[in-house]
Amino acid sequence: MQASELGLNDAWLAAGFVRNLVWDRLHGYENATPLNDIDVVYFNSEDCSAEADERYEQLLQEKSPDLPWSVKNQARMHERHGHAPYVSSAEAISHWVEVETAIGARMNDAGQIELNAPLGLDTLFTFTITPNPRHAIASVFAGRVSSKGWLERWPKLKVQGLNERKSLNL
């Protein structure tokens, strides 16, 4: 079962699924780097329960058990960082930690790929990792850069806009 077959409102394959593909191609990798998860994001303000997300993940796992699915309703994600409630997946994505991660993709009914990149695409193609000013928690950004191993996996990447570069051993 493809994520689109779930019929979720305002749904996108997002974050590392898209970002990693671009970074792999920019680095000339023939094979995709392994994914920690495949983020499926959607927006449903009428059922914000984590249990709904778990049901969707289970459906995806049943059809594609070898893939690491992660399904999250963006209608409740504002609570994680104390933001005002979001009104759409695009608004939620616009608050993600890194500019380059704030992207989603999906196939439309005509078989064309649509992108949801509320912060734009420019930096995604410039070998950078940039903190999102809308997220504005530098320690979270620094922790992600360090823990995710992006600079080891994609050595041409450069961290932008981070004063804690020394804490990352960059």
Side-chain angles (χ1 to χ4, degrees), residues 36-69:
N36 294 336
D37 56 22
I38 299 174
D39 292 296
V40 177
V41 301
Y42 69 103
F43 196 87
N44 179 356
S45 59
E46 294 182 20
D47 182 358
C48 294
S49 70
E51 293 79 18
D53 294 350
E54 292 168 8
R55 285 191 306 271
Y56 294 127
E57 278 182 24
Q58 184 174 359
L59 289 170
L60 291 169
Q61 286 291 325
E62 288 171 4
K63 298 297 182 179
S64 302
D66 295 336
L67 297 177
W69 297 103

Side-chain angles (χ1 to χ4, degrees), residues 70-156:
S70 174
V71 179
K72 297 288 183 280
N73 183 355
Q74 299 303 290
R76 75 167 187 283
M77 292 296 112
H78 66 283
E79 297 168 356
R80 291 180 127 177
H81 302 293
H83 297 150
Y86 304 136
V87 298
S88 67
S89 290
E91 184 181 8
I93 290 169
S94 79
H95 286 85
W96 289 357
V97 179
E98 307 85 27
V99 172
E100 295 77 12
T101 301
I103 185 169
R106 68 181 174 196
M107 188 86 60
N108 66 21
D109 292 338
Q112 299 168 324
I113 296 174
E114 292 180 6
L115 295 178
N116 178 346
L119 302 177
L121 295 170
D122 293 343
T123 64
L124 183 61
F125 295 95
T126 60
F127 296 98
T128 60
I129 309 170
T130 312
N132 180 354
R134 289 183 177 180
H135 189 274
I137 304 173
S139 61
V140 173
F141 174 75
R144 284 176 53 86
V145 171
S146 180
S147 69
K148 299 268 185 188
W150 292 328
L151 299 175
E152 293 79 25
R153 185 174 291 169
W154 298 285
K156 295 178 185 177

